[in-house]
């Protein structure tokens, strides 16, 4: 998890829900924030894919993956790492 992905996750969820970032960051779980439901999760997922040029695999489309800013940030970091091609010496 990085500050950049934490900030993106918090800002994205706050924007989708039309709340301030503090509300998102202070929530024990994002499911405690009014309006955070399956439709909000799909919107967050689409924004992650569009912003980072990655695809969230179906196995990751589960509530736990989208339950908090750190969980979303960890998903983004993993997807970005998985999408980075390995450089091998010739």
């Amino acid at each position: 998890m990085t500050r950049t992905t934490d900030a993106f996750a918090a800002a994205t969820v706050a924007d989708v829900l039309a709340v301030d970032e503090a509300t998102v960051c202070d929530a024990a779980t994002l499911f405690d924030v009014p309006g955070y439901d399956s439709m909000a999760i799909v919107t967050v997922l689409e924004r992650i894919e569009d912003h980072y040029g990655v695809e969230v695999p179906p196995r990751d489309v589960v509530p736990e993956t989208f339950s908090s800013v750190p969980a979303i940030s960890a998903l983004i970091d993993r997807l970005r790492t998985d999408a980075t091609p390995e450089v091998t010496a010739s």
Side-chain angles (χ1 to χ4, degrees):
M1 161 172 58
T2 65
R3 281 195 179 279
T4 303
T5 54
D6 275 351
F8 176 82
T12 299
V13 173
D15 185 57
V16 167
L17 299 178
V19 299
D20 57 73
E21 287 184 39
T23 299
V24 170
C25 293
D26 292 344
T29 172
L30 291 174
F31 297 105
D32 291 339
V33 180
Y36 195 70
D37 56 16
S38 60
M39 294 304 294
I41 290 172
V42 169
T43 303
V44 170
L45 179 150
E46 289 172 341
R47 290 189 185 187
I48 291 168
E49 291 181 335
D50 291 345
H51 184 82
Y52 288 103
V54 296
E55 185 174 327
V56 178
R59 72 176 180 275
D60 288 325
V61 184
V62 295
E64 297 79 20
T65 304
F66 294 90
S67 63
S68 66
V69 168
I72 295 169
S73 182
L75 170 69
I76 294 168
D77 288 340
R78 185 172 47 75
L79 293 173
R80 291 176 69 199
T81 299
D82 291 351
T84 304
E86 289 186 30
V87 178
T88 57
S90 306

